[in-house]
């Protein structure tokens, strides 16, 4: 089936460790996005990519890094520089052009202890 | 850059029509307005998208006035399962590098 997959669903890490969240899509979408959501809050944009080997910072990029080496994949690394990394992380993809429907993964809930 | 403003929360009862209004005063000429629905611990899902006047699908209607500075999502005869957060989106950023930026959304609570 076509779709966007995030893994794992739950992730636990010790403070000070980097951790990479996976996002894969087989929808042949050019654009991919990473969002962070805290309890009771809306989605905040971390990074986005409109094309392979190119990406832009969103509103809260500090402490995060991404890569876009393949069209299908857009992994997000939460670095030790991120002061409050515990959150729900959502990945999305869409066709090129901002006025298209975005498809979301089921999210990864990261807990840093 | 376009920024959206929505009510933080709304309450309704089963069977009623719910209208959620979003303001986007700085919407660009070529921007569409898109609405998403999100249930707890899930990713948002697309509901409806429009450019002007009225758009209707099997789930909702979207009303956009001529000046396009606001839009209203209409949910007919809501049920308990419509309890969710609803987001209004307008793309933001420079042409060619624009992104989908979500606001805080409207938390709809449907009571029996």
């Amino acid at each position: 089936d076509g779709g966007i997959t995030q893994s794992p669903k739950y992730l636990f890490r010790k403070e000070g460790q980097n951790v990479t969240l996976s996002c894969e899509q087989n929808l042949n979408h050019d654009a991919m996005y990473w969002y962070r959501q805290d309890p009771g809050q809306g989605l905040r944009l971390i990074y986005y990519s409109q094309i392979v080997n190119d990406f832009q910072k969103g509103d809260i990029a500090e402490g995060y890094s991404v890569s876009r080496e393949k069209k299908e994949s857009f992994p997000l690394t939460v670095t030790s520089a991120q002061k409050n990394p515990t959150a729900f992380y959502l990945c999305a993809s869409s066709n090129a052009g901002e006025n298209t429907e975005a498809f979301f993964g089921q999210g990864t809930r990261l807990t840093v202890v | 850059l376009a920024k959206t403003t929505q009510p933080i929360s709304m309450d309704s009862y089963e069977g009623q029509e719910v209208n959620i209004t979003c303001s986007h005063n700085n919407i660009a000429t070529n921007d569409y307005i898109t609405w998403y629905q999100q249930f707890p611990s899930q990713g948002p899902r697309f509901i409806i998208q429009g450019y002007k006047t009225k758009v209707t699908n099997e789930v909702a209607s979207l009303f956009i006035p001529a000046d396009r500075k606001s839009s209203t999502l209409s949910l007919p005869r809501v049920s308990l399962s419509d309890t969710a957060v609803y987001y209004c989106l307008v793309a933001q950023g420079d042409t060619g590098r624009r992104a989908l930026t979500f606001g805080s959304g409207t938390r709809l609570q449907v009571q029996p």
Side-chain angles (χ1 to χ4, degrees):
Chain A
D1 290 343
I4 182 165
T5 303
Q6 290 185 243
S7 61
K9 189 171 182 179
Y10 298 96
L11 190 56
F12 295 86
R13 279 294 182 269
K14 290 185 179 180
E15 191 173 347
Q17 290 182 332
N18 290 357
V19 59
T20 297
L21 281 58
S22 170
C23 179
E24 304 278 333
Q25 53 99 0
N26 60 4
L27 300 167
N28 200 34
H29 285 166
D30 288 306
M32 296 187 74
Y33 307 83
W34 273 106
Y35 297 89
R36 168 183 173 138
Q37 188 171 38
D38 294 290
Q41 305 297 313
L43 283 72
R44 292 187 289 168
L45 183 65
I46 305 173
Y47 269 99
Y48 63 104
S49 168
Q50 299 282 11
I51 195 170
V52 173
N53 292 323
D54 188 36
F55 47 84
Q56 288 77 45
K57 293 181 179 180
D59 298 322
I60 57 164
E62 185 176 350
Y64 300 97
S65 65
V66 294
S67 62
R68 187 84 188 277
E69 297 176 0
K70 298 186 300 182
K71 188 176 185 178
E72 304 79 27
S73 179
F74 191 41
L76 173 75
T77 296
V78 184
T79 75
S80 56
Q82 169 50 234
K83 291 181 172 54
N84 186 17
T86 294
F88 186 50
Y89 291 89
L90 285 159
C91 179
S93 71
S94 70
N95 281 320
E98 55 275 6
N99 292 317
T100 62
E101 177 182 351
F103 293 80
F104 282 80
Q106 286 302 299
T108 293
R109 189 167 298 281
L110 173 65
T111 302
V112 176
V113 296
Chain B
L1 300 177
K3 178 182 176 180
T4 59
T5 303
Q6 306 173 231
I8 293 174
S9 64
M10 296 183 69
D11 293 310
S12 183
Y13 292 94
E14 281 191 294
Q16 289 189 333
E17 178 184 78
V18 171
N19 296 309
I20 305 174
T21 296
C22 177
S23 66
H24 27 78
N25 292 319
N26 297 321
I27 189 170
T29 303
N30 59 342
D31 273 340
Y32 281 66
I33 299 125
T34 312
W35 285 79
Y36 288 82
Q37 175 192 55
Q38 185 184 26
F39 297 111
S41 297
Q42 293 185 24
R45 67 172 187 142
F46 174 91
I47 300 175
I48 197 166
Q49 183 182 77
Y51 183 80
K52 62 180 180 180
T53 63
K54 177 183 175 182
V55 178
T56 298
N57 61 23
E58 64 278 6
V59 176
S61 294
L62 179 59
F63 299 92
I64 305 167
D67 66 5
R68 304 198 332 116
K69 293 184 183 299
S70 67
S71 59
T72 299
L73 173 73
S74 181
L75 304 172
R77 299 179 298 281
V78 294
S79 64
L80 296 176
S81 62
D82 292 316
T83 294
V85 179
Y86 293 83
Y87 296 95
C88 160
L89 266 76
V90 176
Q92 297 188 40
D94 297 327
T95 300
R97 289 192 165 187
R98 307 185 72 187
L100 299 176
T101 302
F102 288 73
S104 298
T106 297
R107 191 172 301 273
L108 173 65
Q109 180 69 49
V110 179
Q111 307 277 4

